Amino acid sequence: MTADHTNKRKKNLALGAGLAAVFLAGAGWLMLSLFGPAETAARRPEAAARHAGKPQGASGTIRENGVSADGGTAPAGADGIDRPAAAELARTYDLVIRNGRVVNPETQLDRTGLNVGVEGGRIALVTDKPLKGRRVLDATGLVVSPGFIDNLSYDPNPLGVWNKIADGVTSNIAMHGGTDSPRKWYPYYERSRPPLHYGASFFYTKARNKLGIGLYQPATPEQTAKLVREAEQALNDGVLGISFSLEYVPGIGASEIVPLMKLAYKYNVPVYFHARYSDMEEPGTNMDAINEIIGYARTTGASVHVDHINSTGGTFSMKQSLGMLDAARQEGLDITACTYPYDYWGTYLNSARFDDGWQRRFRITYHDLQIAGTRDRLTATTFGEFRKQGKLAVAYAIPQSDIDDSLTAPFVMIGSDAILEPGNNNHPRASGTFARTLGLYVREHQVLTLTDAIAKMSLMPAQRLERQVPAMRKKGRIARGMDADLVVFDAGKVSDRSTVERPELTSTGIRYVVVGGKVVLDERGLHKQAIAGRPVKSEFARMPDKPAGMLDLDGPRVPLVRYRGTLYFDAAALRTAGYRTEWDDKTHTLKLAEGEPARLAAPASTPAAGELMLERGHRLAWEGGAAELLSIGNREYAPLSTLRHFGWILANEGDDWQADRA
């Protein structure tokens, strides 16, 4: 956000004399009832930290008349349980999951004895009424959860995806790594027909290496400009964000990062960072690493995610590192992180992480390293040999308290940072991350509640990406209209089995996995003939050549824009109608406040054709209500229907609308 934009939005203008009455009239409205025909857009990835420390998020798309965007009826009860009509109960569904303990982290639903009906790859019903299905899965005594989303994985190779399925993962998102050529990446994996959903970031390291830039060498301005152009093309071709691996490519500096961060802000996508440092030894500590990332977020306004903070940026300093991130979030920056539930990390011995001084930095010796997939602990001699081979070693180097602290932070989700590959030279997190979280840290150590753990493995990863990824808005929840990506597990038995010596061992206690309505794991095992996965891509709406109509707002004529079927008007027009607005940088909220009426010139003309129309999580708020704003350039647009809640009467003739005071 530019300084000019911020200053403009902070101007205080007058509020109409009738606003007090409007406040009273609107005081009983809940947020979801505000939008009229507008889609609810409360899809903020950071929402989890703002509700008493509980991972939460926005509801699905609900219309004011109680009908969801996909045509079904909205849940009749605030408990999230559907009240189906007789005709719905009489139907035979494709799949029914019967008598389970259903957990929907978005609504905090956690109730036994529920039935989930699936039709056409979507959840059709969540009810306590009996349902008929062509296939019925008995979930008595089992937990029914949204499918787990591993947003810190790698390419969905044909071997590793099945270990993911066995661990409850239904979406494999390569945000640590990824691709520099989505036009090739997505078709390649579509042809391989994976059993789970898949997507990727623009992997800056790969694009940089293609230009022949050394790991310890900065890119030239010309090279940086070329990389920015490649990243922009990749975003338009579907990548989900941008990823940096600063520790592995020390030559990357601010002159390269900031232009890419500005691009990410422009396109409203997150930037994933493997931070620059992983220890507390000078020069270059975790504090420097976290401050660097926060600085980029503050400078550019871009959303950022800190990869595996337990092994990079937080080891030996977890409470302090988390405190720095939390303070930045309170400042209004959009920052999240992830962790994995192991007190040992793993990486390749020939990487920059093992540059001279690694023993001092990580507080370990050769013997604390073990070649993954073997029993081999290292010595000075074997270290050199395995380094030449580029083997992956695990390092027993993370304090247990760092794992506990990172898991409980409300803005930290779960990500594996691995996928099994041929040869099994992999960290066991490739196969056991999600079951281990449930078995060891929920059931045994009781570090997390079941609902919070499920949120960190499903809802929160979906929210982190969903602003520009429509597919993610249908994942991470169990509710009517959501994708039927589901995991059914035994909370008393779920556990990881993979070890450093045997990273290929699949998890246990995961009874059923459903992807897009198809059962890919059941009592008979993995169904390797199942083709259920779909590509997950970013999508960007742009301004058309002309406005969707005009709004006569008590005099001034204001252009209307249409976004996802909903009409919006420039929120600055509220000033011309006698309202005073004030922008809050910390909460990204445009507040209506009381004051003397004042009239200004009408807002400027419609945004230029081709400008991005983005859901940044900004809000219009007044006493008793709020509405999500649409951002276009440096302007904020409010749903036309909000005017009704200010006491205006709306009428239209064709594309033109008239607003009159009641």
Side-chain angles (χ1 to χ4, degrees), residues 40-121:
T40 57
R43 300 167 178 137
R44 305 176 68 182
E46 67 271 29
R50 296 192 176 181
H51 299 274
K54 295 290 185 183
Q56 297 182 27
S59 69
T61 301
I62 304 296
R63 299 185 188 277
E64 191 172 74
N65 60 6
V67 178
S68 67
D70 60 4
T73 55
D79 56 3
I81 308 301
D82 291 314
R83 307 294 188 261
E88 293 177 298
L89 293 175
R91 291 177 58 187
T92 299
Y93 294 91
D94 293 339
L95 175 70
V96 169
I97 301 175
R98 183 179 62 195
N99 198 34
R101 175 186 174 185
V102 174
V103 177
N104 181 1
E106 181 174 62
T107 61
Q108 298 292 293
L109 171 66
D110 182 353
R111 181 170 157 184
T112 59
L114 296 182
N115 304 306
V116 179
V118 174
E119 186 74 25

Side-chain angles (χ1 to χ4, degrees), residues 207-344:
R208 195 179 189 271
N209 289 346
K210 192 169 63 177
L211 297 183
I213 308 169
L215 298 181
Y216 299 88
Q217 175 185 354
T220 65
E222 294 76 19
Q223 289 169 328
T224 298
K226 178 177 175 59
L227 289 164
V228 170
R229 291 193 298 271
E230 288 187 11
E232 184 163 22
Q233 182 61 61
L235 287 168
N236 281 289
D237 290 338
V239 296
L240 311 179
I242 298 170
S243 61
F244 289 101
S245 294
L246 303 185
E247 186 173 26
Y248 293 122
V249 192
I252 299 175
S255 63
E256 298 177 59
I257 295 169
V258 170
L260 270 294
M261 294 280 287
K262 289 181 177 178
L263 178 70
Y265 177 78
K266 174 183 174 181
Y267 277 82
N268 199 33
V269 298
V271 181
Y272 277 55
F273 278 99
H274 177 121
R276 195 175 298 276
Y277 306 115
S278 301
D279 58 79
M280 289 300 291
E281 299 298 319
E282 296 285 1
T285 68
N286 289 335
M287 305 300 96
D288 299 315
I290 298 297
N291 270 324
E292 179 183 15
I293 293 171
I294 292 172
Y296 294 140
R298 186 180 291 125
T299 297
T300 64
S303 303
V304 302
H305 180 87
V306 180
D307 299 348
H308 47 60
I309 193 169
N310 57 314
S311 64
T312 311
T315 314
F316 312 126
S317 66
M318 187 59 68
K319 289 185 183 296
Q320 188 175 354
S321 295
L322 292 172
M324 293 168 67
L325 294 179
D326 185 56
R329 288 166 54 81
Q330 297 305 316
E331 180 186 326
L333 302 181
D334 182 7
I335 299 179
T336 55
C338 64
T339 189
Y340 52 80
Y342 295 85
D343 58 0
Y344 48 93

